[in-house]
Structures are given as structure tokens and as C-alpha cells.
């Protein structure tokens, strides 16, 4: 035996074949399947891994940890990569890696393995997290080993290997997209999706309904925030409420999914340097992004928010690139968390036909002064003061254009 390797196992085509391949190479394989909110028959996946030769199978439910320790900081940050992607996979990887390393230490394993490709972001996210948490760990990444990727140049060869070894897989040559699902989102890549001009085929989406076929009546929700974190959701229509982090998030997934909220189809820049096309569904995350953005603007000082927006941009980039467990990302989370102290209050919104509409908000920490801003009451403001304000601000513009006029004449 070459020793024990803990495999981040999903039960899909890649990791099922990798499990058998690792056995062929002489490793004792311990499979770790993270329950991170995906729709999965975990008992069947466990039986399958044991049947394929795993020495032991761990199934760990880390859904609550995922919401409270990873999704909530992203909500506080308004994290958004390249203005569109809500980072569902990028947030899940460091969460999965934490338990992966814990199991490796528990089993006395020298190695961990994963099924991430040699072209993608996930190899970086898994391995940076594992090395940060356990510097002495060794990584087996089959998709970067010539003896593996030369033997399996494509998914068709993997499917032939699976057939030969009696490995049941849900992927067929007709629908060969790669899917990654967790509580926050699901992503679709590969197959015909690799051509960016191809529209998503009918029936691809699984978390959200077609907005054109969604209910003709909106759901009106009130979401209460404390320190930038959602603590309660109330459905105004039927009075349903959810308060615990996990239940609240699952409920928002259901409501958003019913109304077709959270679909995007984008081309993004991978950390390794290439562009890729991805289709994502992020139902609850989309609702919370809009709600938090609104309550934050209502309660946070303008200049503080400008600085915080810069921090959020950097935070999103670090998370996407796999640096969750880095000192700079820890520092940013602390800074962003500090900025969220005044972000308290309730946002009322409507979820309807693929969209989230903000209807109103209130907060005991609001910086909005109705009398000050009113067009009907003067309040504690002297309109004549604006003349000097405008004159001072126009001075720079006057001087710039005076000089430009001279240059043009010459």
C-alpha cells in the first residue's frame, strides 16, 4: 500500500472513477462526502463508495456551518465576482476542505485527493485551503497527473472506464454537463455549454422554475437584519416565519426558486488565466444580496461605505481565487464585520417573475432624516449655503476648462 488517501467524493462520474483508479495505484481510500445542502441520496452514495472499494466512508453534514461561517460573511460583504457571480462554489470549497483535513488527521492519512480538473479554479481552492490548514498534507490531483489525463483525455473515456468497472454514473453522452450543487447554488459547465453562443438546453435548470411559468402572484417578504446578517424572514401573505440560519436560507431558496429568481449565464475569468462559460442558479443568495445592499445603504455612512465597497471587491476576488484561509482574507472579514455594526433593520421586498423588487425599509440605526430631505419642510438646512458649496466645487472645473481653452487656441 502507498498509504491512506482521503478523497473528496461526490458520487459523480469523476470522483467515482478516481476512487477506483486510486485503488489501482495502491492507495487505501477513505471517501469523504460533504452534505452541504445538495439533493443527494447519501445512503446510496455511501453504499456505492464502499462497493467501489473505499475502506471507509464519511458523510458529514456541514450545511449549518456553511451558512453561518461562509455564506453570512459573503452576504455582509455584498460579495460579487466580476459584478455578477455570487460565489456559490468558491464559498463551499474552503468549508469542505476544513472537514477534509480533519478527517485526514483523524485517519492518520498523509494524502488527500480531489476530482477538480487541471484547468479550473477548484483545484486551487481545495489545495490552498488544505495546505493552509495542514501544511504537511500531500495532495493527489489525478487530473494533473500525465498517467491519468493521458489515459482519460475526455469524459467519454471516463464513461467507458466506468462501464468497464461497473461504476454507475448519472452522466450520459447526451447530457454531459458537469454540475456542482450546494445549499447556495448549482453550477453547470462542459458539454454543449462550452460553446458560449449555445443557449442552455430545455430542462437544464433544477433549482429555479422558468420565470415565464412562475406564479402570477408575488410573495412579499420582510427580512430582518442584525449586524448585516439576516435573522428573521416573514412572509406577509401567509405569515410564515423562519429564524434559524439554515431554515431561513432553505425557505428563501424555496420562495426564490418558485419565482425563477437567481439565474445567470456568464463568461468569467478563471484564476488560472482562461475565460470560461458558466450557468448558475443562486436563489436565496440573490434575494439576500438585494436586501442587504438596501439596508446597508440606509444605515451606513457614505464614506465608510465607499471604503467598504473597495474591501468587498478585494474580498470577492480572494474568495474566488481560493484564498479564504489566507491572512489577508481573515483581515478583510474582520474589517467588513466591523462595518456591519449599524446594519440593523428590516427590508420589505417582492419576489416575482424572476426579479426581486425592494418595497421599503426601516431601521433604528437609519441615517435617513425625513425632515432634512423633505421638499415641503426646510428642516435644519439653509438652502443659501449651497451657493458657496457649488462655487467651491466649480472652481476646479473652471480652471481646468480655462486651461483647455488656451491649449486649443494655440
Amino acid at each position: 500500500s502507498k498509504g491512506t488517501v482521503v478523497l473528496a467524493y461526490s458520487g459523480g462520474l469523476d470522483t467515482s472513477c478516481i476512487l477506483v483508479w486510486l485503488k489501482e495505484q495502491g492507495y487505501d481510500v477513505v471517501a469523504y462526502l460533504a452534505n452541504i445542502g445538495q439533493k443527494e441520496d447519501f445512503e446510496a452514495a455511501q453504499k456505492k463508495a464502499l462497493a467501489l472499494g473505499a475502506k471507509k466512508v464519511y458523510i458529514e453534514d456541514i450545511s449549518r456551518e456553511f451558512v453561518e461561517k461562509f455564506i453570512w460573511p459573503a452576504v455582509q460583504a455584498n460579495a460579487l465576482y466580476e459584478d455578477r457571480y455570487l460565489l456559490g462554489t468558491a464559498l463551499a470549497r474552503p468549508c469542505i476542505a476544513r472537514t477534509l483535513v480533519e478527517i485526514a488527521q483523524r485517519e492518520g492519512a498523509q494524502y488527500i485527493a480531489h476530482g477538480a480538473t487541471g484547468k479550473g479554479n477548484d483545484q486551487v481552492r481545495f489545495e490552498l485551503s488544505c495546505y493552509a490548514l495542514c501544511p504537511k498534507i500531500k495532495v493527489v490531483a489525478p487530473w494533473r497527473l500525465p498517467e491519468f489525463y493521458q489515459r482519460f483525455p475526455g469524459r467519454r473515456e471516463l464513461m467507458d472506464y466506468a462501464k468497464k468497472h461497473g461504476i454507475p454514473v448519472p452522466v450520459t453522452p447526451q447530457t454531459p454537463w458537469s454540475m456542482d450543487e450546494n445549499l447556495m447554488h448549482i453550477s453547470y459547465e462542459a458539454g454543449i455549454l462550452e460553446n458560449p453562443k449555445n443557449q442552455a438546453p430545455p430542462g437544464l435548470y433544477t433549482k429555479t422554475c422558468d420565470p415565464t411559468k412562475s406564479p402570477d402572484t408575488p410573495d412579499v417578504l420582510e427580512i430582518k437584519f442584525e449586524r448585516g446578517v439576516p435573522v428573521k424572514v416573514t412572509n406577509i401573505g401567509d405569515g410564515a416565519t423562519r429564524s434559524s440560519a439554515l431554515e431561513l436560507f432553505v425557505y428563501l431558496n424555496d420562495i426564490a426558486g418558485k419565482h425563477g429568481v437567481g439565474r445567470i449565464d456568464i463568461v468569467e475569468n478563471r484564476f488560472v488565466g482562461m475565460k470560461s462559460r458558466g450557468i448558475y442558479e443562486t436563489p436565496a443568495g440573490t434575494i439576500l444580496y438585494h436586501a442587504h445592499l438596501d439596508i446597508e445603504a440606509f444605515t451606513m455612512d457614505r464614506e465608510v461605505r465607499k471604503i467598504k465597497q473597495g474591501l468587498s471587491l478585494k474580498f470577492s476576488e480572494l474568495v474566488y481565487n481560493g484564498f479564504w484561509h489566507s491572512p489577508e482574507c481573515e483581515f478583510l472579514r474582520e474589517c467588513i464585520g466591523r462595518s456591519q455594526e449599524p446594519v440593523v433593520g428590516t427590508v420589505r421586498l417582492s419576489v416575482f417573475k424572476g426579479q426581486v423588487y425592494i418595497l421599503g425599509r426601516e431601521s433604528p440605526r437609519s441615517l435617513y432624516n425625513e425632515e432634512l430631505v423633505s421638499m415641503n419642510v426646510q428642516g435644519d438646512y439653509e438652502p443659501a449655503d449651497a451657493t458657496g458649496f457649488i462655487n467651491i466645487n466649480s472652481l476646479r472645473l473652471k480652471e481646468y476648462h480655462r486651461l483647455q481653452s488656451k491649449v486649443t487656441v494655440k
Side-chain angles (χ1 to χ4, degrees), residues 2 21-22 25 27 118 139-152:
K2 289 184 178 178
W21 183 84
L22 287 169
Q25 307 310 303
Y27 291 99
V139 177
V140 180
W143 282 115
R144 294 206 306 270
L145 298 174
E147 61 268 31
F148 187 87
Y149 65 71
Q150 288 172 4
R151 183 177 176 184
F152 306 109

Side-chain angles (χ1 to χ4, degrees), residues 150-212:
Q150 288 172 4
R151 183 177 176 184
F152 306 109
R155 297 177 74 76
R156 187 172 294 277
E157 287 78 13
L158 269 186
M159 285 186 263
D160 290 342
Y161 180 81
K163 186 177 179 181
K164 178 182 175 183
H165 289 82
I167 303 170
V169 289
V171 179
T172 67
Q174 289 74 38
T175 57
W177 31 80
S178 173
M179 297 185 292
D180 176 67
E181 184 185 11
N182 59 49
L183 188 67
M184 188 174 185
H185 90 161
I186 187 167
S187 64
Y188 308 90
E189 295 177 322
I192 66 167
L193 304 179
E194 288 181 353
N195 186 335
K197 76 175 184 180
N198 287 338
Q199 187 175 343
L204 176 133
Y205 294 99
T206 59
K207 276 187 177 288
T208 59
C209 78
D210 183 342
T212 64

Side-chain angles (χ1 to χ4, degrees), residues 106-165:
R106 203 182 308 168
E107 290 290 323
Q110 288 180 288
Y111 305 93
I112 61 106
H114 59 76
T117 75
K119 292 183 177 181
N121 297 307
D122 282 341
Q123 57 178 341
V124 183
R125 295 165 180 160
F126 272 129
E127 294 181 37
L128 290 183
S129 293
C130 289
Y131 286 137
L133 298 169
C134 185
K136 293 183 179 180
I137 203 74
K138 296 182 176 67
V139 177
V140 180
W143 282 115
R144 294 206 306 270
L145 298 174
E147 61 268 31
F148 187 87
Y149 65 71
Q150 288 172 4
R151 183 177 176 184
F152 306 109
R155 297 177 74 76
R156 187 172 294 277
E157 287 78 13
L158 269 186
M159 285 186 263
D160 290 342
Y161 180 81
K163 186 177 179 181
K164 178 182 175 183
H165 289 82

